[in-house]
Amino acid sequence: MFSIICCSINPQAADRLRANIEATCGVPFEFIAYDNRGRSDGLCKVYNACAARARYDMLCFVHEDVEFLTEGWGRIIAAKLAEPDCGVIGFAGSILKLRRLTGW
């Protein structure tokens, strides 16, 4: 169902993310972590290389410092992606909320 792709510079953080996804996703997935320590490959290069290796048709590009809190989020996202007028879903966030309107 999901190929979850992560460009990593911290293997422990990538392991925590993988465990978090296993506990919350609720659907089949593969986790592709690209160890970018010492390489400094650009994010687009990493994501394209990992996408070429993906087994599933739904690609989820995620940073290693993310934590999923919603149980079964994979089912929710898969249902939304199945809608005929949906092509891409993106999320952005921060631990800070400014009073001013920001670019997010």
Side-chain angles (χ1 to χ4, degrees), residues 2 4 14-32 62 66-75:
F2 283 100
I4 300 172
D15 289 343
R16 282 191 301 275
L17 175 60
R18 179 194 311 258
N20 171 253
I21 292 168
E22 287 174 358
T24 60
C25 187
V27 296
F29 72 92
E30 67 174 332
F31 187 80
I32 303 171
V62 62
V66 168
E67 180 181 9
F68 292 90
L69 301 175
T70 303
E71 295 290 330
W73 61 266
R75 288 188 298 275

Side-chain angles (χ1 to χ4, degrees), residues 1-4 25 27-28 56-61 68 72-91:
M1 179 150 301
F2 283 100
S3 291
I4 300 172
C25 187
V27 296
Y56 294 111
D57 59 342
M58 288 188 250
L59 305 179
C60 178
F61 301 97
F68 292 90
W73 61 266
R75 288 188 298 275
I76 296 166
I77 299 298
K80 185 65 178 173
L81 285 168
E83 294 178 8
D85 61 342
C86 181
V88 175
I89 298 174
F91 298 96

Side-chain angles (χ1 to χ4, degrees), residues 6-8 10 13-14 16-17 20 62-68 93 95:
C6 173
C7 180
S8 176
N10 182 333
R16 282 191 301 275
L17 175 60
N20 171 253
V62 62
H63 291 259
E64 62 190 3
D65 62 347
V66 168
E67 180 181 9
F68 292 90
I95 59 171

